[in-house]
Amino acid sequence: MSMDKDISPSRDEVADPAVIAANAHAADQPDAQPATVSPPPVPQAAGSSRFHESARAQVQGTATYIDDMPELKGTLHAAPILSTVAHGQLLGVDTAAAMALPGVRGVILSQDIPGDRLLGNFSHDEPVFAQDTVQHIGQVIGVVVADTVMQARRAARQVQCHIEPLPAVLNVRDALAAQSYVLPPVFVQRGDADAALKSAQHTLHGTLEVGGQEHFYLEGQIAYVLPQEQNQWLVYSSTQHPGEVQHWVAHALGTDQHAVRVECRRMGGGFGGKETQAGHLAVWAAVAARKLGKPVKLRLDRDDDFLVTGKRHPFAYDYTVGFDDTGRITGLKLTMAVNCGFSADLSGPVADRAVFHVDNAYFLQDVAIASYRCKTHTQSNTAFRGFGGPQGMIVTEAIMGDIARQLGLDALDVRRRNLYGITERNVTHYQMTVEDNILEPLLLKLEQTSGYRLRKQAISAWNAASPVIQRGIALTPVKFGISFTATLFNQAGALVHVYTDGSCQVNHGGTEMGQGLNTKVAQIVADELGIAFEHVLATASDTSKIPNASATAASAGTDLNARAAQYAARNVRDNLAQFVAGLDNCGAGAVRFQGGEVTTPANRRPFTEVVKLAYANRIQLWSDGFYRTPKIHYDKTTLTGRPFFYFAYGAACTEVAIDTLTGESRVLKVDILHDVGNPINPAIDIGQIEGGFVQGMGWLTTEQLVWNEKGQLSTHAPSTYKIPTTGDIPAHFKIDLWLEPNREDNIFGSKAVGEPPLMLAISVFEAMRDAVAAARPCRRVQLDAPATAENVLRALGKLASVSQQPPPKKSDPRCAKLPTP
Ligand code: MTE
Ligand code: HPA
Ligand code: MOS
């Protein structure tokens, strides 16, 4: 097996050989779990469906988001000045008309930035404010600051920007043809795909286009910056990555990181859209606050949020697949053109994760993948739930459907035929052995509980008798790698404080965005101390409490932070155990913490009493904890190693109906079996599965981003951009958990659940293609995602051309052949 080339330099990889060596060494070491003297209590909170810690407050409207916070006297409001040209020379900015408006206090432009005018991320290719050139419609050129939000927004529209237009690249295939890249291409191969294709019994060529997705978090992007004494800064940011916001603000202000404190109590959703993008707002507000010496708040209006911030990466694919009579893949050549937008942002690791997930659940022996990270003059695309994984998997799932139709086989049988094995055919194309494979039994169980076989027959019979409505069904698996692919991010810290009344506060480097991280962490801490869940309070993320914390992303929030918090709580418990052992003249190992009590062979005391006594005896009642994921190591220079600690698995069986006259569709029935390991909070996990699936369903059916010929995103509000509503939830939506503990030593035996369920929605897309095939009996289905009514009609041959990508320069974008690896 050989791998060809290097994964592109991405913002979060450290290429230093010393670091690689240290990581490889660390991977040999057992996880540095602190030695404990007192036995762990039997879990009471973890494993049960506790309410989300904010649920009541959110329902009552008393949970605080940044825009709810009382404003400090003198607070000013900022609004962005947006480019109206996709690509051009910025010749000048005339602010006179804006400055003359009531309430306006100032206009902040690139020259007002005291520090670096490029953002302090690894690629260093993105200006804080557009300077000499503009690179997409909606790029921020500066901000207007005024007494009220409406004054600022009105004035921002009066700023005159003189822009000399330049040719713009708006289509990913045009970008590819022009070799317009934000990062160099990456080639991964194993075996000899060319030879395998030559000797294959069957081959197929195909293309696929898959659209992007707007995050549509309920709480839009916001930052509130308050100048403190002696050139220090307090930043409230709705961010998944307070540490990165701190770094960017310090960088732009030209100050030390220690002078910037970033706090985030919660987000009203992030979905990846606040992993980096939140930093921009904080920097813009900070530069304004610094120039004007006042607190400045910046909240984007929804339309501006659409126009300014990056989205899920759209992909275009070309593939040639070879397979045998049974449907088993024998060779695959795949080209992925990734639409990154105008700057690198997280595109390197997103495109990498797509490469890592092309296999999904399947063994690919002879495979060659080319990944082009294309630059277009559109918003800079960013993290979105799944982080490239969905875009990697969907093309392979489409290929499975194609093969089945070509051979006249059942698609589930073809999928089965290609699954990873247990002792052989079990090494991925990036050379990681799949050790925790549960695919076969999981698929078998869902096949039975969903009634797939009988329903398939019933659907065929129904379709044969139905003139207009046609149904389709698909059962697709998911295998998703858990860990940041950049090994260094897989670390976390936490602080546990026990107060003299026995109540406990936990703080960790993760952020709460609705996914229930704080709830799960509090459950783990409560159990570690043997106290009631209600006595543990998780507090706001704060860079002054936990430094250098990673983004809450890659679904690893609980894996990382709950473990760090568990270790911190364990230290406190050990302090108390040793103290009590001294009182009762026993070994610390004989001291038990359970049900709010501390027992020794001699005594039984309330936890609160022990805490008071310990305090009076000067025993430390708080501690830190630190966790680093074991076993993982990844050498990006040779593309070998183990980027993921473990895999999360799942499968979904989805039935849809399409109207062959209008192209409209409906998801009728969904059965899901998903692997969450031993769940810390089953109700929250099921909520994540429901939400992830529905979000994925939106991506693949109704959520269409349309840029016009000028490069303007014309779907920039809910009037034209359609996310799923309650009416779109399938009437039959059954979710079962696969309750086998994680085979790796992960917190509580659980598995990460934030992102993997989104990819279960690929079953919706495959069911749509099945329905199209029923309506138009032919072996090939050319349906692009999202499967909007127009795209369905086009797949049925009833609509000539609908473009979902920015309009191509050539007559038919599919005529432009992608270069193959
Ligand atoms: N769930 C809610 N309610 N809101 C969100 O913003 N983000 C998703 C997922 N589930 C999100 C969510 C994404 S993109 C990720 S990476 C994970 O949550 C992050 O949190 P975790 O690592 O704690 O699961
Ligand atoms: N997932 C999510 N976010 C990330 C990753 C990842 O693998 N790497 C860097 N940011
Ligand atoms: Mo999630 S896309 O890793 O924030």
Side-chain angles (χ1 to χ4, degrees):
M1 291 172 213
S2 77
M3 304 277 177
D4 216 36
K5 248 199 166 172
D6 186 16
I7 283 245
S8 68
S10 55
R11 61 186 280 280
D12 43 30
E13 285 284 353
V14 180
D16 182 348
V19 173
I20 291 165
N23 273 332
H25 175 69
D28 300 334
Q29 307 297 312
D31 172 24
Q33 199 151 331
T36 175
V37 289
S38 86
V42 178
Q44 305 260 297
S48 68
S49 292
R50 302 304 167 118
F51 281 5
H52 189 290
E53 45 88 13
S54 294
R56 287 184 186 83
Q58 279 164 326
V59 171
Q60 290 166 346
T62 57
T64 310
Y65 297 84
I66 291 172
D67 213 28
D68 300 323
M69 294 169 55
E71 283 165 14
L72 211 67
K73 203 171 155 196
T75 292
L76 302 175
H77 299 267
I81 305 161
L82 306 184
S83 170
T84 51
V85 175
H87 186 206
Q89 284 288 338
L90 180 57
L91 301 176
V93 180
D94 181 353
T95 62
M99 286 299 292
L101 290 173
V104 174
R105 298 300 186 99
V107 176
I108 315 295
L109 300 170
S110 192
Q111 55 265 32
D112 298 309
I113 301 165
D116 196 338
R117 292 176 188 182
L118 290 175
L119 283 178
N121 62 23
F122 281 71
S123 287
H124 226 71
D125 62 345
E126 196 167 341
V128 171
F129 293 125
Q131 228 176 318
D132 306 319
T133 56
V134 290
Q135 302 208 67
H136 72 93
I137 293 181
Q139 187 177 2
V140 175
I141 292 169
V143 293
V144 174
V145 184
D147 291 335
T148 72
V149 185
M150 291 320 289
Q151 285 172 339
R153 289 183 184 167
R154 247 179 253 129
R157 284 193 211 112
Q158 299 307 316
V159 174
Q160 306 296 320
C161 299
H162 303 294
I163 301 169
E164 178 84 26
L166 293 168
V169 180
L170 298 174
N171 180 293
V172 70
R173 289 186 189 262
D174 287 341
L176 189 66
Q179 300 192 352
S180 163
Y181 303 138
V182 293
L183 292 165
V186 167
F187 305 98
V188 176
Q189 62 183 57
R190 167 165 71 182
D192 187 343
D194 279 315
L197 289 175
K198 243 182 231 131
S199 60
Q201 287 175 330
H202 307 270
T203 54
L204 271 180
H205 310 278
T207 64
L208 181 68
E209 315 267 327
V210 172
Q213 187 176 22
E214 161 64 30
H215 300 87
F216 220 111
Y217 20 63
L218 286 181
E219 179 207 31
Q221 303 271 3
I222 183 167
Y224 184 24
V225 177
L226 294 87
Q228 312 285 290
E229 65 160 50
Q230 301 185 63
N231 204 21
Q232 293 160 27
W233 307 89
L234 173 58
V235 180
Y236 293 102
S237 169
S238 180
T239 174
Q240 291 173 240
H241 201 172
E244 187 85 336
V245 173
Q246 176 199 25
H247 298 170
W248 285 14
V249 168
H251 200 76
L253 295 184
T255 180
D256 289 330
Q257 291 173 7
H258 70 203
V260 180
R261 177 156 88 85
V262 179
E263 187 185 305
C264 176
R265 170 60 185 91
R266 63 170 64 77
M267 282 158 276
F271 306 113
K274 294 171 181 171
E275 186 172 335
T276 58
Q277 308 285 294
H280 298 78
L281 277 89
V283 168
W284 299 329
V287 173
R290 147 109 195 202
K291 181 171 176 188
L292 301 171
K294 298 275 190 197
V296 172
K297 186 153 94 176
L298 176 47
R299 169 168 59 80
L300 288 182
D301 153 79
R302 180 67 64 179
D303 296 73
D304 288 351
D305 206 317
F306 264 84
L307 290 174
V308 170
T309 64
K311 301 158 203 325
R312 183 188 292 287
H313 292 68
F315 274 50
Y317 314 82
D318 271 359
Y319 56 86
T320 306
V321 60
F323 49 98
D324 64 18
D325 291 332
T326 69
R328 182 175 270 184
I329 291 180
T330 53
L332 174 66
K333 281 179 83 173
L334 172 67
T335 298
M336 299 195 273
V338 186
N339 186 340
C340 301
F342 83 98
S343 73
D345 184 79
L346 293 167
S347 295
V350 167
D352 291 353
R353 189 172 273 272
V355 170
F356 291 139
H357 284 81
V358 162
D359 59 342
N360 190 16
Y362 313 113
F363 177 72
L364 303 172
Q365 172 65 64
D366 291 288
V367 55
I369 302 167
S371 166
Y372 294 92
R373 293 98 203 269
C374 299
K375 171 171 175 162
T376 58
H377 293 105
T378 59
Q379 294 79 1
S380 181
N381 291 319
T382 192
F384 196 136
R385 208 169 192 170
F387 203 78
Q391 294 98 316
M393 289 177 192
I394 193 170
V395 64
T396 303
E397 289 302 337
I399 288 171
M400 292 293 162
D402 288 350
I403 293 175
R405 275 181 288 276
Q406 185 73 21
L407 296 175
L409 296 175
D410 179 276
L412 178 56
D413 292 336
V414 171
R415 292 188 160 94
R416 274 257 183 68
R417 186 90 186 106
N418 284 286
L419 290 180
Y420 275 109
I422 304 295
T423 53
E424 51 184 32
R425 292 169 56 85
N426 63 348
V427 178
T428 65
H429 54 296
Y430 49 91
Q431 306 214 33
M432 172 170 170
T433 303
V434 183
E435 293 173 347
D436 54 9
N437 182 354
I438 53 169
L439 287 160
E440 184 61 47
L442 189 140
L443 285 188
L444 185 65
K445 185 161 181 211
L446 183 64
E447 178 188 326
Q448 288 162 354
T449 56
S450 66
Y452 173 82
R453 299 281 167 190
L454 284 177
R455 280 167 63 197
K456 182 123 191 169
Q457 285 173 17
I459 289 168
S460 293
W462 198 88
N463 283 343
S466 172
V468 175
I469 307 295
Q470 294 284 295
R471 295 192 178 189
I473 190 168
L475 196 161
T476 62
V478 166
K479 165 182 136 290
F480 189 76
I482 303 299
S483 294
F484 287 95
T485 52
T487 305
L488 79 164
F489 285 168
N490 296 288
Q491 56 175 304
L495 288 174
V496 165
H497 298 178
V498 173
Y499 295 92
T500 52
D501 65 352
S503 67
C504 170
Q505 253 191 20
V506 56
N507 189 273
H508 55 86
T511 55
E512 177 62 45
M513 59 193 99
Q515 86 279 39
L517 172 60
N518 280 350
T519 312
K520 290 181 177 178
V521 171
Q523 287 175 279
I524 293 294
V525 168
D527 284 347
E528 201 61 28
L529 294 172
I531 62 177
F533 169 69
E534 292 70 24
H535 292 163
V536 182
L537 184 69
T539 55
S541 313
D542 183 335
T543 55
S544 70
K545 290 191 173 172
I546 306 297
N548 317 319
S550 298
T552 306
S555 303
T558 299
D559 293 12
L560 296 171
N561 295 287
R563 251 292 153 74
Q566 183 182 45
Y567 290 172
R570 186 169 295 173
N571 291 338
V572 175
R573 191 183 75 221
D574 281 346
N575 288 349
L576 292 173
Q578 256 151 358
F579 167 67
V580 174
L583 293 182
D584 287 5
N585 216 359
C586 63
V591 184
R592 307 217 160 245
F593 293 73
Q594 197 76 49
E597 290 183 331
V598 183
T599 52
T600 66
N603 268 306
R604 173 184 293 267
R605 301 180 180 87
F607 181 79
T608 48
E609 188 186 306
V610 169
V611 164
K612 282 197 181 76
L613 275 174
Y615 171 75
N617 284 276
R618 298 182 295 173
I619 302 298
Q620 186 176 342
L621 291 174
W622 56 275
S623 177
D624 62 337
F626 179 78
Y627 175 67
R628 42 180 284 159
T629 310
K631 293 191 177 178
I632 49 171
H633 54 96
Y634 192 67
D635 184 344
K636 76 186 209 75
T637 57
T638 60
L639 271 199
T640 55
R642 173 178 178 162
F644 306 120
F645 186 28
Y646 62 90
F647 293 100
Y649 298 90
C653 177
T654 297
E655 183 176 339
V656 302
I658 59 170
D659 181 324
T660 56
L661 294 179
T662 65
E664 289 164 297
S665 65
R666 186 160 266 291
V667 177
L668 301 174
K669 257 182 123 169
V670 175
D671 292 273
I672 288 173
L673 181 55
H674 193 76
D675 159 37
V676 292
N678 190 30
I680 296 173
N681 190 316
I684 285 180
D685 285 357
I686 289 171
Q688 285 292 295
I689 297 166
E690 290 171 342
F693 181 88
V694 171
Q695 194 165 39
M697 182 177 102
W699 168 48
L700 294 172
T701 54
T702 56
E703 297 184 39
Q704 189 174 29
L705 295 161
V706 178
W707 286 266
N708 69 16
E709 67 289 345
K710 294 199 172 97
Q712 161 117 29
L713 178 64
S714 44
T715 53
H716 53 77
S719 52
T720 46
Y721 185 81
K722 295 299 182 187
I723 61 171
T725 66
T726 47
D728 298 310
I729 309 286
H732 173 99
F733 194 16
K734 182 164 169 284
I735 294 168
D736 290 317
L737 301 179
W738 180 271
L739 290 170
E740 178 191 331
N742 193 330
R743 294 185 195 171
E744 293 297 342
D745 178 18
N746 197 46
I747 182 77
F748 196 65
S750 70
K751 284 195 179 184
V753 70
E755 295 166 288
L758 183 132
M759 286 149 273
L760 296 171
I762 294 173
S763 62
V764 176
F765 188 63
E766 282 304 291
M768 297 283 290
R769 283 160 40 93
D770 189 49
V772 168
R776 193 191 189 195
C778 72
R779 285 178 165 183
R780 298 306 298 278
V781 173
Q782 184 62 56
L783 174 66
D784 290 333
T788 57
E790 292 87 343
N791 275 344
V792 168
L793 283 181
R794 187 160 70 152
L796 291 169
K798 294 183 176 173
L799 199 62
S801 121
V802 176
S803 71
Q804 85 174 54
Q805 298 282 331
K809 287 207 193 101
K810 302 178 190 67
S811 55
D812 181 356
R814 277 180 201 83
C815 299
K817 183 100 180 70
L818 304 184
T820 44

